[in-house]
Amino acid sequence: MSINKQHIIPRALSMLLFFIGCIGFANEIKVATIDEFNSAIQSVKAGDRIILKNGEWKDVKLVVKGQGTSDNPIIIQAEESGKVFITGDSSLKMAGTHLIVKGLWFKNGFTSGKSVISFRINSKEFANHSRLTDCAITYYNPSSKATDSKWVSIWGKNNRVDHNYFAGKTNSGTTLVVWLKGEKHIQNNHRIDHNYFGERPSLGFNGGETIRIGTSKNSLLSSRTIVEDNVFEKCNGEVEIISNKSCDNVYRNNLFLESEGVLTLRHGNRCLIESNVFIGNQKPNTGGIRIINAGHVVRNNLMMNLTGDGFRGPIVVMNGVPNSPANRYHQVKDVSIQNNTIINCSPIQFCAGSDEERSLAPINTIFANNLIFNDKNGDIATVHDKLDGFKFYGNILDSQKDFNQSGFSKVKVNWDTLDDILYIPKTDNEELIKNSKPEGKSTKLDITGTARNTFVAGAYNLGNNKLPKALVLKSGTSWDSKVAPQKPKVVSEIIEIEPGVGTLRKALKKASAGSVIKLKPGEYVFEKGIKINNNVTIQGNSKDKKPVLRMKEGLEKNPTYIFRVEGGSALRLNNLEISGDLSTPIKYAVVSPDKGASEPYSVFIDNCYIHSFKNKKGGSVYKAYKGTFADTINIVNSRIENAYRGINLSEEKDDNGKYSAQVVHIDNTIFKDIEQWAINYYRGGTDESTLGGKLIVDNSIFSNVGNKEKGTVLRTKGIVSVDIKNSVFEKSYKVVNPVNLQGNKNTISNCVIFDCGTVKATKGASAKDILYKNPKWEDKNNFIPSEKSPLRKQQHIGLKWEAKK
């Protein structure tokens, strides 16, 4: 059964907040405009309260400055919590002592500064002993996702961020950052608690963390920040949901729900990670805890139904870099990983990232008294290097698979379920007691805070029917701040149109989101490119003859593209012929949004014939601009022919880990007579913060592609996951390596290579069942194999249908 927020977090988010009402205030000042606020803040003193009138406050720069005391803080609050809306280009800065900001909602705006809310005004004026509470920031983003801005920046010492709601950040920059730049900001004792961190979509490059404490440069400084009792739901910005980059921090009693990433001890030492709950509900890429550096304690955590692999495993212990610079990987040492419970998760990762650079395996690392249950026939762990530096003991396996390592005992555990959700070991588990081995550093409490009178492996006492605190905590605001992105109401309709000049453009202007535009056979001529601003399908209305889409000949200046898909939109092209055949060829059939669009988009092409995009000044059939990101590019049952380039996803040249599409899927498709390459899918640099892209090529044909010296057919540099199968590469006789794969998630299998060089696979990539034989076509144009073709003998290679023009 899946666990969702309704099971574990009360619907009502009302809570007993810090009791402000009992304080005797020197003054209560009500303000309705930014000028009135600025005037009031000039004379504010300890005990004063400034109340912002309900309504919209647009394009305001709120600067809170004053000296309160612990008994008489200065309070800035909404007239009614959740009814003061901060919109437009707005921000809030605070400096002084004992300041409280309460009840504001930053909604559907953006900041042109570095942070929406900052606990400092400038490098010399910052806040101490201050608090942000019962506030919300939702969908507060600039127009470009490449613009770096934070939502909350914490400076100073002894500050608290609690009972807030954050959701919908789409641009570059961490949601909440603790800064340690300078003596006045270290050993800060901040507390981040009872906040709800909601959905954050995949950013596609580094900078999508939800919380970061410190930076690589100051990561060996002590922060002493406590992060507890928070909820992180669908925080998918990058691999690091939390990025620890400082020392002596505590992470406890937090809930991570269906979030595609991990709590990462990226830099810094001596952190405590305890009693957190990670629930994946079998959602892809969900993970737990990744461990780097020294002196950490990881105990009493519960991981359930997590599917992430590699750096997104349930527990990931990394290899280090010799003489590592501050921004790479220090060796794991003196770490204790004890009494965690792992239920039906993907494999634990030992010595993850092991390669020529990361060659230092962990040392003096204890992995003890962990309880691992798996009834899905899943592997227990993946080992990437020597385990000599680990001390394994008291670990219990209740699984179908073994793990061939001393310190693991296979025991059939007698389980109970709590509320039909959680697996709890029953009291009658003598074998579990006998095989667990406590030692001096073993925890004295279980995940619920109950004393361990009888010591057993895992996060729970035997028979404990209490829920972990992470599953009953009340996070977020006292008022209803939960919102979703405002999307247009979908009124799907079918629109049939006739051929002609501009007829398709007129239909698209009238089409609502979700509409299907059906084209009758004939020519549809454009005089300028078409921008797609919502989800729309354009399809031929006849299976016999495809409608032809082309640009008008003889225009004074040719447009660059036929279709541009804007951010947040999805374009589906079905059963069409798209031609670039002009005396001066048009550059692109389809392009992404312009540079730096904030929202992802998708393109789906099915049963289309796309040809004659021969413009040699950078032209291609498909082009993604720098700073844009596609969720999916899906091309199936189609034919791409007679073009300068095919699919161009190579504009992210800064080598900082960025790439242009999350998933590229090519199925049952022909690429023929392409001068440079069929696909160029690029991700540069060594950044590991994202999923790193995924290319799937199945049952496709690549004929006479990139046939030149130093040419190639598929370029996939830096892409983490590449799966090429059941396909044919031919007639690129000048090419040395049509495919060059690197990395253990890069594979090519069951393919035919003829007159097209050889496959190159390095750094763990695999090439298997490759036939270097003549495919022997009966129909060379439509790639139908003859009776004597090896494709007839080898299962599933080649097209699954007769591709026709």
Side-chain angles (χ1 to χ4, degrees):
M1 155 173 205
S2 292
I3 299 180
N4 56 44
K5 201 174 166 192
Q6 281 66 39
H7 285 115
I8 52 189
I9 305 171
R11 293 175 186 269
L13 291 176
S14 60
M15 75 291 287
L16 184 62
L17 296 174
F18 185 81
F19 192 59
I20 296 169
C22 291
I23 301 171
F25 295 100
N27 288 296
E28 183 176 287
I29 308 162
K30 293 186 177 180
V31 296
T33 68
I34 187 62
D35 290 338
E36 290 178 5
F37 174 86
N38 289 337
S39 176
I41 205 69
Q42 293 295 320
S43 57
V44 73
K45 60 183 182 297
D48 284 355
R49 176 167 53 176
I50 298 177
I51 299 175
L52 276 64
K53 186 178 179 181
N54 289 351
E56 182 179 13
W57 291 62
K58 186 175 182 180
D59 298 330
V60 295
K61 303 295 188 287
L62 298 168
V63 179
V64 179
K65 186 176 179 181
Q67 302 296 324
T69 67
S70 58
D71 293 330
N72 292 290
I74 295 170
I75 297 177
I76 313 298
Q77 70 178 87
E79 183 179 9
E80 295 179 78
S81 287
K83 294 188 178 180
V84 170
F85 308 111
I86 314 296
T87 66
D89 181 2
S90 299
S91 62
L92 183 148
K93 297 179 179 180
M94 63 178 88
T97 59
H98 296 287
L99 310 171
I100 297 175
V101 175
K102 179 178 184 288
L104 307 183
W105 191 350
F106 290 78
K107 183 178 183 181
N108 296 331
F110 69 99
T111 178
S112 56
K114 294 181 179 179
S115 302
V116 178
I117 298 174
S118 180
F119 281 68
R120 79 169 189 175
I121 295 173
N122 53 51
S123 61
K124 295 182 179 179
E125 298 178 285
F126 44 85
N128 294 316
H129 299 282
S130 295
R131 185 179 180 194
L132 177 73
T133 187
D134 207 27
C135 293
I137 308 177
T138 59
Y139 301 94
Y140 213 77
N141 302 301
S143 59
S144 171
K145 76 169 185 175
T147 300
D148 188 299
S149 63
K150 281 68 177 174
W151 276 6
V152 179
S153 287
I154 308 178
W155 299 84
K157 295 186 178 182
N158 301 297
N159 294 315
R160 185 181 180 193
V161 176
D162 67 285
H163 295 96
N164 300 293
Y165 183 100
F166 308 107
K169 193 173 195 300
T170 59
N171 69 301
S172 178
T174 310
T175 306
L176 183 151
V177 183
V178 173
W179 298 95
L180 281 79
K181 187 178 181 180
E183 288 290 327
K184 295 180 179 179
H185 307 284
I186 65 173
Q187 298 185 355
N188 51 63
N189 300 306
H190 297 316
R191 187 180 175 202
I192 302 164
D193 65 286
H194 294 92
N195 302 289
Y196 174 84
F197 294 92
E199 184 169 5
R200 180 164 191 185
S202 176
L203 184 62
F205 52 88
N206 190 23
E209 307 99 322
T210 297
I211 290 179
R212 192 186 77 229
I213 301 178
T215 60
S216 301
K217 185 177 180 180
N218 56 34
S219 59
L220 297 182
L221 299 176
S222 179
S223 183
R224 294 183 181 173
T225 294
I226 296 175
V227 180
E228 63 183 352
D229 304 328
N230 302 285
V231 172
F232 300 84
E233 183 173 13
K234 294 184 174 66
C235 293
N236 304 336
E238 62 155 88
V239 69
E240 298 177 12
I241 303 168
I242 294 178
S243 183
N244 181 85
K245 293 187 175 180
S246 52
C247 300
D248 305 305
N249 299 311
V250 175
Y251 304 92
R252 65 185 171 213
N253 298 323
N254 299 290
L255 171 64
F256 297 81
L257 182 61
E258 295 184 7
S259 291
E260 295 182 3
V262 291
L263 190 168
T264 301
L265 301 174
R266 185 63 183 87
H267 302 300
N269 304 318
R270 303 180 303 277
C271 292
L272 173 63
I273 303 91
E274 67 175 349
S275 302
N276 302 284
V277 176
F278 300 80
I279 297 172
N281 286 333
Q282 298 297 329
K283 300 294 183 182
N285 308 309
T286 48
I289 301 167
R290 184 161 66 120
I291 301 162
I292 307 148
N293 280 60
H296 306 303
V297 176
V298 179
R299 68 189 184 197
N300 277 349
N301 299 286
L302 171 64
M303 291 86 170
M304 293 181 60
N305 299 311
L306 304 175
T307 65
D309 59 3
F311 291 179
R312 284 176 162 84
I315 293 179
V316 181
V317 189
M318 293 288 297
N319 261 24
V321 175
N323 302 311
S324 176
N327 65 343
R328 290 304 289 153
Y329 290 86
H330 289 271
Q331 188 175 27
V332 174
K333 60 182 179 180
D334 305 324
V335 167
S336 175
I337 306 166
Q338 296 200 46
N339 288 97
N340 302 287
T341 295
I342 303 172
I343 306 291
N344 283 330
C345 291
S346 54
I348 297 163
Q349 303 290 318
F350 291 121
C351 309
S354 176
D355 58 18
E356 293 179 2
E357 181 202 23
R358 290 175 294 221
S359 59
L360 295 178
I363 58 174
N364 195 30
T365 295
I366 295 170
F367 190 91
N369 300 309
N370 299 288
L371 176 56
I372 304 166
F373 170 72
N374 195 306
D375 63 357
K376 310 296 184 185
N377 199 33
D379 291 334
I380 303 302
T382 302
V383 179
H384 302 272
D385 206 335
K386 295 180 180 179
L387 298 178
D388 299 351
F390 285 87
K391 298 176 183 177
F392 295 106
Y393 58 86
N395 299 292
I396 305 297
L397 300 181
D398 184 1
S399 63
Q400 298 174 42
K401 293 284 185 72
D402 293 314
F403 183 54
N404 188 22
Q405 178 69 39
S406 62
F408 289 79
S409 302
K410 203 163 184 183
V411 173
K412 184 62 179 175
V413 177
N414 189 10
W415 295 97
D416 199 357
T417 55
L418 183 59
D419 293 339
D420 294 322
I421 296 172
L422 299 179
Y423 288 84
I424 309 296
K426 292 183 178 180
T427 54
D428 53 339
N429 270 292
E430 293 300 320
E431 287 296 311
L432 184 56
I433 297 171
K434 184 170 66 174
N435 284 280
S436 302
K437 297 181 180 180
E439 53 97 35
K441 295 183 180 179
S442 293
T443 175
K444 302 298 188 293
L445 304 174
D446 78 350
I447 192 172
T448 70
T450 306
R452 289 182 179 270
N453 297 320
T454 302
F455 185 83
V456 292
Y460 285 97
N461 283 337
L462 298 181
N464 188 349
N465 61 0
K466 292 174 62 177
L467 287 168
K469 187 177 180 181
L471 298 186
V472 295
L473 62 88
K474 298 175 182 179
S475 67
T477 56
S478 63
W479 46 277
D480 185 8
S481 51
K482 187 168 185 179
V483 296
Q486 293 184 354
K487 296 182 179 179
K489 185 178 180 181
V490 176
V491 182
S492 182
E493 57 181 331
I494 296 175
I495 304 170
E496 291 194 75
I497 62 172
E498 299 283 347
V501 177
T503 55
L504 178 54
R505 173 183 295 281
K506 292 176 183 177
L508 284 167
K509 283 184 177 181
K510 298 177 182 179
S512 56
S515 293
V516 177
I517 300 177
K518 291 189 174 183
L519 312 184
K520 295 180 179 180
E523 283 198 346
Y524 293 78
V525 181
F526 308 110
E527 295 179 302
K528 58 181 179 178
I530 293 178
K531 293 181 180 179
I532 303 298
N533 294 300
N534 53 31
N535 298 344
V536 66
T537 299
I538 303 171
Q539 70 179 44
N541 203 18
S542 169
K543 293 183 179 180
D544 298 325
K545 191 171 183 180
K546 292 179 171 62
V548 179
L549 280 57
R550 65 174 181 84
M551 199 60 66
K552 187 176 181 180
E553 184 69 78
L555 295 173
E556 185 175 339
K557 183 179 179 181
N558 278 345
T560 304
Y561 57 83
I562 291 181
F563 293 108
R564 162 166 277 163
V565 189
E566 300 290 17
S569 302
L571 173 63
R572 288 172 169 80
L573 301 172
N574 300 341
N575 194 35
L576 303 170
E577 178 180 340
I578 304 174
S579 174
D581 191 12
L582 294 173
S583 54
T584 302
I586 189 171
K587 290 185 78 171
Y588 313 117
V590 181
V591 298
S592 73
D594 205 355
K595 296 179 181 179
S598 61
E599 292 185 273
Y601 68 99
S602 296
V603 175
F604 301 87
I605 298 173
D606 187 358
N607 192 23
C608 289
Y609 175 40
I610 307 176
H611 64 92
S612 303
F613 287 86
K614 299 180 290 186
N615 190 306
K616 294 189 178 183
K617 295 182 178 180
S620 58
V621 169
Y622 177 90
K623 163 84 170 212
Y625 289 102
K626 185 175 181 178
T628 63
F629 193 67
D631 283 331
T632 305
I633 297 172
N634 193 64
I635 303 175
V636 300
N637 308 326
S638 295
R639 184 176 185 124
I640 295 174
E641 186 173 13
N642 193 21
Y644 179 59
R645 293 171 173 171
I647 312 304
N648 189 358
L649 304 166
S650 66
E651 290 298 296
E652 298 292 354
K653 297 291 178 58
D654 295 337
D655 287 352
N656 56 10
K658 294 183 181 181
Y659 53 106
S660 297
Q662 192 64 269
V663 177
V664 180
H665 184 204
I666 310 296
D667 186 22
N668 205 39
T669 290
I670 296 165
F671 287 82
K672 183 176 183 291
D673 298 334
I674 312 294
E675 184 171 332
Q676 288 213 341
W677 27 254
I679 300 170
N680 190 353
Y681 191 8
Y682 184 89
R683 175 180 182 264
T686 57
D687 177 72
E688 303 101 351
S689 62
T690 64
L691 291 172
K694 185 174 186 178
L695 173 65
I696 303 167
V697 177
D698 196 2
N699 290 105
S700 293
I701 307 292
F702 300 87
S703 180
N704 189 29
V705 175
N707 190 20
K708 56 170 56 176
E709 298 296 333
K710 298 183 180 180
T712 189
V713 178
L714 300 179
R715 291 184 179 180
T716 58
K717 183 176 179 180
I719 301 303
V720 170
S721 178
V722 177
D723 184 13
I724 304 166
K725 55 191 175 184
N726 309 323
S727 296
V728 177
F729 298 79
E730 65 153 29
K731 293 185 179 180
S732 299
Y733 60 89
K734 294 181 181 179
V735 173
V736 176
N737 303 120
V739 177
N740 185 350
L741 302 179
Q742 295 182 340
N744 58 13
K745 292 185 181 179
N746 279 219
T747 64
I748 181 170
S749 61
N750 203 41
C751 289
V752 164
I753 313 288
F754 177 67
D755 205 8
C756 197
T758 59
V759 170
K760 186 176 182 180
T762 59
K763 298 183 179 180
S766 67
K768 58 182 180 180
D769 299 326
I770 308 299
L771 300 178
Y772 292 94
K773 294 184 178 181
N774 188 339
K776 296 182 180 178
W777 307 114
E778 178 181 298
D779 183 338
K780 293 181 180 181
N781 186 54
N782 290 311
F783 301 99
I784 300 171
S786 68
E787 291 297 326
K788 296 181 179 180
S789 170
L791 276 63
R792 297 280 191 183
K793 300 174 184 178
Q794 197 75 13
Q795 191 175 15
H796 303 309
I797 297 181
L799 300 175
K800 293 178 286 189
W801 60 300
E802 291 186 7
K804 297 180 180 179
K805 292 185 181 180

